[in-house]
Amino acid sequence: MTQTAPTKAKMVNHNAAASPWNELGRKLALTLDTEELTNCMRCGFCLPACPTYRETGLEAASPRGRIALMKAAHDGWMMPDPAFQQQMDFCLGCRACESACPADVRFGRLLEQSRAAIAEHAPQSQREKGLRKLFLRGLFPHRYRLRLMGATLALYRKTGLHWFVHKSGLARILPLHLRQLDRILPAASSQGVVERIGTVIPAQGKKRGRVGLFRGCIMDVVFADTNENTARLLAAAGYEVVIPPEQTCCGALHAHSGEEGEALELARHNIQTFRQADVDWIASNAGGCGAQLMETSYLLKDDAKWQADAHWFSTRIRDISQLLLAGNPLPLQSLPKRITYQHSCHLQNGMKVAGAPESLIRSIPDATYVDLFEGDRCCGSAGIYNLTHPETSMNILDEKMNHVKETAADILVTTNPGCLLQMKLGIERAGLHDRMEALHLVDLLMQSMKKGENAHERTEKAQ
Amino acid sequence: MLKSEMKAELVAVLGDAHVRDDTESRVSYSYDATPLYQSMPDGVVFPSTTQEVQSVLRIASKYNTPVIGRGSGSNLSADTVPVNGGLVMVMTRMNRILEIDKENLTATVQPGVYTQALHQAVEKEGLFYPPDPSSMKISTLGGNIAECSGGLRGLKYGTTKDYVLGLEAVLANGEILRTGGKLYKDVAGYDLTKLLIGSEGTLAIITEATLKLIPLPQSRRALVAHFDDLDAAARTVSAIIAAGIIPCTLEFMDRKTIQVVEEYARIGLPQEMDAILLIEQDGPPVLVEQDIQCIHRIAADNGAAHIAIAETEADGSRLLAARRSALSALARLRPTLILEDTTVPRSRIADMVRAINRIAAEYNLEICTFGHAGDGNLHPTFLTDARNQAEIERVEQAFADMVETALQLGGTITGEHGVGMAKAPFLEWQVGKTGIEVMKGIKRAFDPQGILNPGKIFSDRSLPRKGGT
């Protein structure tokens, strides 16, 4: 029972000539969570859960393999190289491995630590660096610029430019899946949730508490309707809703792509904002944001000054489905449709919320809930993965749509903007657009509730 | 890295994508599920047909390079760690179920089929393949055969060796060997099928297997019995068997294991009990009901503190699924788990558990014990940390002590995981010098160059036996 030293591997000398890869190795040795690395006992229970392992059949593309690579780089018997970087990029970050892991290894954290080191040290093209800076630093954290983007996108559609791009053949220069994506993009709006309904919405019925609404960045531009519906549903369920306008982006995309410093800044800003708003819970309607917000306390674990507040913040994050289920019953009306549900990975594997969205769907009168085979597997959207790894993303999506087809559902429900767009894209690709639609859970519930309101209005008029 | 001529020959046969010797590939096939063992191969190959396996072995023989067959690398004896370098041959591309023969009740499979995938495929046809290692979701049938995997249903149905009727395997020199077939009766010469089962990749590479199926039991029902006294649990096991009942599953968990499994699976296990037995019976509903009631009575008579019968089959499956995750769930307590599978005759279980507890105290170590009580196959698991060298040394001593005790009780050094590297130093204690010599002779007959999975089963390190032989 003796440890066999890895033979035929030269121990990497990180003090040797300073190459970017060498620097990366040093950074990994310093920043990877040694406990998490050691906690992986290599039992392999994660393998069947991993989409990229299923795609390739390669150990290196599995969670166990990626951890082994990280550990080898961390322990200094492997020099990280472009292949190492590619393998970390290739991961969808769906964290299904975490739900499958009996040993409770937090793979997502290890992945983010690796990506942070890669972002800092690995050589990148100028274009990549520019794009990253433009989106992650220049856009998402800035409310005004986001609004401007919303207005531009709205203009793009309204002016007929959208039509022109498609009819003129200009769209043909885009890869197929991007052309399809452009077709399904919802109408962006220059009016976010605060501009539409203000910062405080009173509770209806028996009061259940005070909830801060996390409005997100992209969510509030591309899915502003959903944000508005979220606030209205919360109020209908008995919550007083506050939407502090100073809040900013959750930092998930920053953390996932290695911009750890920026993610930290955003986290501190959000903690302060919601602390001041004095709320009982903070509601998230996007699994990706919610999971990131829950990580706040881990993110700031080394920051003594912020620790207590970060813990307060992390433990108050709830998904909208959890709050609605715990609140006053919603006045839902008959919606005789077949409805199926695609889990958001970060809601399920990050926030550990499963069951609440399905229960809400089931509570809609006359709706038929149909299980989606492998509805708990990633849809391939995964942040910007569908842009960075289009082939794998589309393979995963097309396989998913085969299962969706089997359900013969009228409505496919998700709980995250990225997944929702991907599902719309999938429906388009599978030629199912005249048979079914994809909706955010919140919009589905609002549809069922509005039906009631409309019916109510109609009866009033009739009288 | 591979020698360039050899690599060129491999690429000519398998294609570029299926021969890898980059650092990333070598690192990611340098380990399996066994803690403390890791070693880099020179390269990794992914054959997709028997002919490709044949060609790889011919090339490997020519260059005198070790070949280590590998499925999912979920074994716990370090059998797929390339300790002498060489080629790791990953069999997962050969993953087709070739035939389910309902007339002869057999399934013919390639080695890379996942165990659970076969379960699902045959159960759809109303048939049953009983071997169910805890890793069955991911472990491959080729790996199961090479390791002679056991599982939770071993008591009533036996283990992998009882379900392999025929094999196709490639020898080290590239010759194809066919053994057995779809026959239940076959005594032509030596039983080479049985010889290859559990040979841990040291005799040949399995490329196809014909497996025995049986009718799927009509129903199943589980029961859980809690005990605040270890002996009561052990007495219950003996009494059930003595009453003429052979449950399909009879699992044991000690207090610490219960606590950890409960924390992971949240299925309502009692955290303050010293032991629980998870018992499942299958068969026609009337008989299952009768057996479960009888087991209930026996457990009560023997001092069970609480007994609960699962309401539905699904409840029972959940209980057993939780038990299957016991090993990995224990990793929540300490990072390194060293799982042993010392096995004793069923009647000596209480003695063995007591000895394990004594050893834990003596060497100041944490040991959790769970396992297949019905067949005496226990899994004492050391909870330790690979970074603590002093503790690891105590683990080694305690382990030797445990092996000694098991042998004294009439047991074996390994019930279902195989010898591999982890137990190689103890094999001679059990089979004696003659046993080792006969085994080495067989190895030479199959693989004169010694290129198939070298460094496994036979150890250079001969340990003195405390109690003497």
Side-chain angles (χ1 to χ4, degrees), chain A residues 1-9 34-35 38-39 41-45 47-48 53 57-60 64-65 68-69 72 77-78 81 83-84 87 99-104, chain B residues 20 23-24 26-29 31-33 36-40 42 46 70 72-73 83-84 114 134 138 264 324-325 327-329 331-332 335 337-338 387 395-396 399 421 461:
Chain A
M1 205 185 309
T2 41
Q3 180 155 18
T4 315
T7 52
K8 305 191 179 161
T34 316
E35 291 300 314
T38 320
N39 284 343
M41 53 174 308
R42 298 177 170 165
C43 65
F45 276 40
L47 297 175
Y53 180 71
L58 296 176
E59 178 78 20
R64 180 173 69 170
L69 294 174
W77 57 278
M78 170 188 151
D81 56 9
F84 177 87
Q87 203 47 264
S99 291
C101 177
D104 204 22
Chain B
R20 292 172 184 248
T23 313
E24 182 190 78
R26 290 164 60 225
V27 168
S28 59
Y29 291 98
Y31 56 82
D32 54 32
L36 307 187
Y37 294 90
Q38 188 162 11
S39 179
M40 292 272 261
D42 298 309
F46 302 84
R70 186 187 199 269
S72 296
V83 65
N84 293 351
Y114 292 138
S134 288
I138 190 72
Y264 165 63
R324 289 179 203 281
S325 68
L327 168 65
S328 318
R332 289 165 181 241
L337 300 185
I338 300 175
R387 293 165 291 186
V395 168
E396 289 192 31
F399 177 51
M421 291 168 74
R461 207 159 61 107

Side-chain angles (χ1 to χ4, degrees), chain B residues 95-173:
Chain B
N95 59 4
R96 280 181 305 136
I97 296 175
L98 300 170
E99 183 195 40
I100 296 174
D101 180 343
K102 291 167 90 168
E103 258 180 57
N104 289 306
L105 291 188
T106 59
T108 304
V109 299
Q110 291 189 317
V113 173
Y114 292 138
T115 317
Q116 196 172 48
L118 179 68
H119 287 163
Q120 285 163 351
V122 303
E123 283 170 26
K124 247 188 232 161
E125 308 286 335
L127 298 171
F128 190 38
Y129 177 72
D132 64 336
S134 288
S135 55
M136 65 186 191
K137 258 189 171 172
I138 190 72
S139 68
T140 60
L141 289 164
N144 287 180
I145 295 167
E147 301 293 324
C148 189
S149 302
L152 273 62
R153 299 197 276 242
L155 169 61
K156 180 169 176 177
Y157 292 106
T159 62
T160 303
K161 66 175 182 295
D162 301 303
Y163 293 87
V164 183
L165 297 172
L167 291 172
E168 178 195 80
V170 183
L171 302 182
N173 62 8

Side-chain angles (χ1 to χ4, degrees), chain A residues 77-96:
Chain A
W77 57 278
M78 170 188 151
M79 174 82 90
D81 56 9
F84 177 87
Q85 177 181 0
Q86 277 160 24
Q87 203 47 264
M88 297 308 144
D89 284 347
F90 186 48
C91 173
L92 291 142
C94 71
R95 292 167 67 182

Side-chain angles (χ1 to χ4, degrees), chain A residues 328-348:
Chain A
N328 301 332
L330 296 169
L332 300 174
Q333 302 299 318
S334 165
L335 197 67
K337 303 266 187 185
R338 277 177 81 82
I339 305 175
T340 192
Y341 175 62
Q342 161 65 28
H343 287 259
S344 137
C345 292
H346 284 97
L347 183 62
Q348 175 187 245

Side-chain angles (χ1 to χ4, degrees), chain A residues 87-399:
Chain A
Q87 203 47 264
M88 297 308 144
D89 284 347
F90 186 48
C91 173
L92 291 142
C94 71
R95 292 167 67 182
C97 49
E98 289 188 28
S99 291
C101 177
D104 204 22
V105 176
R106 309 293 182 90
F107 179 82
R109 291 175 179 175
L110 290 171
L111 181 70
E112 277 171 19
Q113 288 155 4
S114 297
R115 286 182 174 172
I118 288 169
E120 192 178 338
H121 294 291
Q124 289 174 340
S125 69
Q126 285 307 312
R127 185 172 157 268
E128 235 177 299
K129 275 190 177 153
L131 273 178
R132 191 191 297 274
K133 202 174 159 196
L134 174 69
F135 280 100
L136 296 183
R137 296 195 186 166
L139 183 63
F140 298 156
H142 303 284
R143 187 64 41 186
Y144 175 73
R145 293 180 199 169
L146 279 168
R147 291 269 76 84
L148 205 64
M149 181 188 87
T152 315
L153 281 176
L155 203 66
Y156 166 66
R157 286 191 177 242
K158 272 187 204 148
T159 54
L161 198 60
H162 177 252
W163 179 86
F164 173 75
V165 166
H166 279 271
K167 291 291 162 191
S168 67
L170 212 58
R172 253 176 281 155
I173 60 167
L174 296 169
L176 175 67
H177 82 283
L178 280 186
R179 263 180 278 157
Q180 289 168 328
L181 193 68
D182 181 55
R183 264 213 295 279
I184 50 91
L185 265 181
S189 163
S190 59
Q191 299 280 303
V193 63
V194 171
E195 290 80 6
R196 292 167 179 219
I197 56 175
T199 56
V200 182
I201 300 102
Q204 291 163 25
K206 186 182 166 209
K207 193 172 168 187
R208 297 287 187 154
R210 182 174 153 93
V211 172
L213 174 63
F214 187 81
R215 65 180 169 184
C217 46
I218 302 291
M219 197 73 198
D220 208 37
V221 171
V222 181
F223 294 104
D225 290 347
T226 306
N227 267 357
E228 183 184 341
N229 289 341
T230 305
R232 292 194 188 283
L233 284 173
L234 282 169
Y239 300 99
E240 178 189 18
V241 183
V242 283
I243 315 171
E246 306 81 23
Q247 61 175 297
T248 184
C249 167
C250 69
L253 289 176
H254 304 79
H256 302 336
S257 53
E259 298 279 331
E260 217 177 16
E262 186 77 10
L264 277 173
E265 267 319 298
L266 297 171
R268 291 194 186 100
H269 186 87
N270 279 326
I271 294 173
Q272 201 166 28
T273 306
F274 283 95
R275 198 71 164 127
Q276 276 163 7
D278 192 27
V279 293
D280 299 313
W281 295 287
I282 299 159
S284 143
N285 60 7
C289 302
Q292 177 65 25
L293 297 174
M294 282 176 85
E295 280 290 287
T296 302
S297 152
Y298 179 77
L299 211 60
L300 289 163
K301 65 184 187 308
D302 299 324
D303 189 336
K305 188 174 150 236
W306 283 87
Q307 233 166 53
D309 283 339
H311 180 255
W312 175 90
F313 184 81
S314 285
T315 51
R316 262 154 195 78
I317 305 297
R318 293 288 181 282
D319 183 61
I320 171 79
S321 61
Q322 295 173 297
L323 290 170
L324 292 180
L325 210 58
N328 301 332
L330 296 169
L332 300 174
Q333 302 299 318
S334 165
L335 197 67
K337 303 266 187 185
R338 277 177 81 82
I339 305 175
T340 192
Y341 175 62
Q342 161 65 28
H343 287 259
S344 137
C345 292
H346 284 97
L347 183 62
Q348 175 187 245
N349 306 316
M351 297 181 79
K352 308 279 177 222
V353 176
E358 296 97 308
S359 297
L360 286 168
I361 298 172
R362 283 203 172 92
S363 71
I364 298 173
D366 303 323
T368 313
Y369 175 81
V370 240
D371 240 342
L372 173 61
F373 177 71
E374 294 193 340
D376 55 352
R377 282 186 87 89
C378 180
C379 65
S381 168
I384 52 167
Y385 194 87
N386 50 9
L387 302 180
T388 56
H389 295 80
E391 198 187 324
T392 308
S393 171
M394 292 305 112
N395 285 348
I396 293 174
L397 177 59
D398 294 344
E399 192 189 350

Side-chain angles (χ1 to χ4, degrees), chain B residues 243-256:
Chain B
I245 300 171
I246 308 282
C248 66
T249 295
L250 210 178
E251 294 288 304
F252 166 89
M253 285 199 263
D254 74 355
R255 177 192 283 258
K256 202 147 212 173

